[in-house]
Amino acid sequence: MSLVDRARSATTLAGGLGTILDSGLPAPAPAGHTLVPAGHPGQPLAHPLAGWEGLALVRAERVSCPEAVRLLAAVRIGLTERMLRAAVEHLTGRVADGRPLVDHPVLRGELADLTATLALCWQGLGTGTSTAALHATLDRAGWATSVLFGASGYLRDHPVRCLYLAELVHDTWSDHVGLA
Amino acid sequence: MSDWREIGRALRAGALALDAAPHDTEAIAADEALRAVAELDPIMLSGKDSAAALIELARGDAGMVLAAPGPALAGRVLAQLGDDEQRERLRAAVAGGRTWAYLAITEPDVGSDATRLRTELRRDTDGRYRLYGTKRYIGNGHRGTVGVVLARTGPSPLALRAVLLDTARARTRPLDMLGLRGAQISELEFDGVPVEERDLLGAHLSPLRRGMWSIAQVFTAVRVQVAALAVGTAFAIHDLVADHHPSSPTLDDAHANIRAAEALVLRAAAEADHDRESAAPAASLAKLTATGVALDVARTLPRLLGPAALVTHPLLEKWCRDVRAFEFMEGTSQIQRLHAAQGIVRGSVWHAT
Ligand SMILES: Cc1cc2nc3c(=O)[nH]c(=O)nc-3n(C[C@H](O)[C@H](O)[C@H](O)COP(=O)(O)OP(=O)(O)OC[C@H]3O[C@@H](n4cnc5c(N)ncnc54)[C@H](O)[C@@H]3O)c2cc1C
């Protein structure tokens, strides 16, 4: 399995980041601190949420690594696909207006749109879509997926929180240049 | 207005501490800015004035606003459905910031479709009403000692009544949220809690107006208030980024969009003050747009501050979590779309003029 395939098939955010960093790439830290799997070398700094997903904020040498940021998109695609499958199960078990939520045409359309978006992102990883554009799309798709769980997905202990933490990892890994 | 802005600024000082420890009720009770928010009495103010005040307060911090003791959403229900004695009971219970009031509608298995609520108001063999069921995701449900609970009185989807509980207590537990943690959503369990005749809201109204019809009017009013919180949070994000970044087209566009959403919210609030029934689609459109604009602002503006902006500016990171809560409160965006579309099809939605 290629590295990008392995990144996509990670079942946890920390596992996905571990796959990237174990390949020998440095943890990107353009601002001098970065979110990494707990236990990764570096002086730990306080972060209110990192521990929720087995991550830690560490001080690190200022370094950029576009390839790691690209692979992070693969991790995010895989995690969002996983959460989307869980959302289908969730919507199958809830009823509104006399039928399961999963049978409401609006929600079916949403599931199809999200699946198409993720498929396009995955192809885009191979065809050179800019990493910034991929992550911007994944920010939106991740939140749209979380919303499918209703308020239950907004609870701290819900697995879909990994998609928000992935946004935070991207915030520390990416250079965010050219956006003003 | 500037008073509310001042209070909003003062609220910000306690925002991160509250996010870290939303269960610390002593700290909340000691916060002077929070006590000032408690004076925002939805029974006394028009919807438009409340919305304008909430925008300014949330520009300080929406989590703090929702942690403030006071009548909150229950006050809106009482304004619609309560008689004078019931309104006075709520006012007395929360006077001087003594406690929090909750409004309990959502249940573990029932959210968007309120006509399927399972919590039951049953008349037992002794002739007394008792409340059975579980409510979940209820803002201030654990801290609050007074509140309004929506319950079923019969099998028909519309057989719902709201009851005011100010002495009877449910078993409660707080739920840990991703964001807007100041609201401290909670679970409430009612296992035969006694309810007196005088606790039933709407007895002075015609049977048709006691239940779901009135609740729908309350939803319209409250949706606009949630939209106001979203607009205020968007302003807060904009203000913080603008403090650290020179003027740019992205910032200016965001500001213009937030102001446009603010205008829609205030307009919907004024419509709801004038005629709540016909304002429902406008309220839904206001909430839909305000939530969308706030999310967009949270997604784009922090990037202007460069790498790791959400680590360097913890308040910004907190607000990026907080804005997501507005998606769910008083109906998700899908539900707002359904309401708005109904108005469009009926021709009752105003168009841009
Ligand atoms: C911060 C916060 C504070 C809250 N405060 C309160 C409170 O004080 N009191 C209270 O009673 N509740 C409160 N809630 C709960 C809130 O009202 C519900 O979360 C909301 O009504 C949605 O219900 P649900 O979470 O069960 O989602 P569900 O209804 O299960 O929805 C799941 C998904 O299906 C979609 N969906 C549902 N029905 C349809 C449909 N007909 N067509 C298309 N899509 C549909 C939704 O958009 C969502 O994406 C709060 C929630 C939060 C997050």
Side-chain angles (χ1 to χ4, degrees):
Chain A
M1 222 199 260
S2 70
L3 182 55
V4 70
D5 282 321
R6 279 193 289 129
R8 183 196 190 179
S9 56
T11 56
T12 63
L13 180 57
L17 303 190
T19 301
I20 298 170
L21 301 179
D22 289 348
S23 75
L25 292 169
H33 40 251
T34 182
L35 281 166
V36 287
H40 192 83
Q43 184 199 338
L45 300 166
H47 190 281
L49 318 180
W52 297 3
E53 281 294 316
L55 305 181
L57 180 72
V58 297
R59 201 183 296 285
E61 205 178 307
R62 282 177 195 266
V63 56
S64 294
C65 181
E67 179 56 10
V69 183
R70 195 179 79 87
L71 288 166
L72 174 62
V75 172
R76 294 182 70 184
I77 291 169
L79 292 176
T80 313
E81 287 171 332
R82 218 165 258 282
M83 289 304 139
L84 202 51
R85 282 196 290 278
V88 170
E89 214 167 288
H90 177 80
L91 293 169
T92 304
R94 282 179 90 77
V95 176
D97 301 326
R99 55 189 160 155
L101 279 173
V102 78
D103 288 339
H104 286 243
V106 178
L107 287 173
R108 290 213 162 188
E110 183 75 359
L111 292 173
D113 281 348
L114 283 167
T115 305
T117 298
L118 294 173
L120 193 67
C121 285
W122 178 244
Q123 294 304 322
L125 266 178
T127 59
T129 304
S130 84
T131 310
L134 285 176
H135 281 287
T137 303
L138 289 166
D139 286 350
R140 282 192 297 274
W143 174 238
T145 302
S146 302
V147 166
L148 295 172
F149 294 97
S152 73
Y154 197 64
L155 293 180
R156 175 186 150 156
D157 61 6
H158 195 285
V160 79
R161 69 172 180 216
C162 71
L163 301 185
Y164 179 68
L165 268 291
E167 285 183 43
L168 296 186
V169 173
H170 175 243
D171 174 58
T172 63
W173 282 27
S174 166
D175 289 81
H176 298 315
V177 279
L179 286 156
Chain B
M1 178 64 56
S2 57
D3 283 355
W4 293 121
R5 189 169 289 189
E6 291 274 300
I7 298 170
R9 276 201 203 107
L11 283 177
R12 196 172 286 184
L16 283 172
L18 177 67
D19 186 57
H23 312 315
D24 187 351
T25 37
E26 273 176 32
I28 295 172
D31 192 300
E32 268 183 39
L34 280 178
R35 275 207 296 273
V37 177
E39 279 163 31
L40 183 69
D41 182 348
I43 297 179
M44 300 302 287
L45 285 179
S46 71
K48 187 174 178 200
D49 287 346
S50 287
L54 283 175
I55 289 171
E56 294 304 328
L57 292 172
R59 199 167 184 155
D61 184 74
M64 289 289 280
V65 175
L66 293 173
L73 304 186
R76 287 260 154 236
V77 181
L78 269 286
Q80 176 79 32
L81 264 172
D83 60 28
D84 289 344
E85 191 257 347
Q86 290 162 334
R87 289 179 197 181
E88 192 42 47
R89 276 167 62 195
L90 177 65
R91 191 171 291 137
V94 301
R98 211 173 294 147
T99 190
W100 295 258
Y102 57 83
L103 170 60
I105 297 172
T106 311
E107 300 179 355
D109 294 322
V110 185
S112 302
D113 184 3
T115 58
R116 294 185 63 250
L117 292 186
R118 293 182 185 165
T119 296
E120 256 187 292
L121 187 61
R122 242 187 262 156
R123 214 190 257 278
D124 278 349
T125 41
D126 59 4
R128 291 184 80 186
Y129 285 109
R130 284 194 171 77
L131 202 54
Y132 298 89
T134 303
K135 297 287 183 184
R136 192 181 281 171
Y137 314 122
I138 309 307
N140 286 320
H142 180 67
R143 300 174 182 136
T145 53
V146 58
V148 172
V149 181
L150 191 62
R152 170 163 305 293
T153 51
S156 141
L158 299 182
L160 299 171
R161 279 300 280 278
V163 298
L164 174 66
L165 293 185
D166 56 355
T167 48
R169 293 283 290 139
R171 260 200 306 276
T172 65
R173 81 183 164 99
L175 303 168
D176 212 356
M177 290 194 290
L178 176 69
L180 207 64
R181 289 155 61 79
Q184 201 184 54
I185 59 171
S186 313
E187 185 169 276
L188 284 75
E189 209 184 313
F190 304 97
D191 185 13
V193 167
V195 172
E196 309 295 333
E197 288 282 351
R198 69 186 201 110
D199 302 330
L200 299 177
L201 301 184
H204 61 299
L205 301 173
S206 74
L208 273 179
R209 304 220 148 188
R210 272 175 201 163
M212 206 51 213
W213 182 90
S214 281
I215 294 295
Q217 311 308 305
V218 172
F219 280 157
T220 295
V222 174
R223 265 172 198 148
V224 181
Q225 311 299 317
V226 174
L229 292 171
V231 167
T233 306
F235 273 129
I237 293 171
H238 172 274
D239 295 349
L240 193 149
V241 173
D243 280 349
H244 294 86
H245 191 273
S247 172
S248 79
T250 308
L251 259 179
D252 295 346
D253 275 355
H255 193 250
N257 270 344
I258 303 167
R259 292 201 48 212
E262 178 185 37
L264 277 181
V265 169
L266 294 178
R267 183 169 168 171
E271 267 196 52
D273 282 337
H274 177 66
D275 178 356
R276 199 159 288 168
E277 195 168 5
S278 67
S284 287
L285 278 178
K287 195 195 160 220
L288 188 62
T289 46
T291 311
V293 166
L295 269 170
D296 240 33
V297 163
R299 215 171 265 143
T300 49
L301 295 196
R303 299 265 158 87
L304 298 178
L305 301 182
L310 300 179
V311 171
T312 317
H313 302 282
L315 262 177
L316 207 50
E317 190 280 322
K318 185 186 101 68
W319 290 330
C320 288
R321 280 181 281 127
D322 288 353
V323 284
R324 295 166 192 235
F326 305 129
E327 163 66 27
F328 305 105
M329 295 166 73
E330 301 311 320
T332 63
S333 293
Q334 292 290 23
I335 297 303
Q336 308 308 334
R337 287 187 186 100
L338 294 175
H339 287 300
Q342 213 159 13
I344 294 163
V345 171
R346 285 188 191 146
S348 62
V349 173
W350 37 255
H351 291 279
T353 48

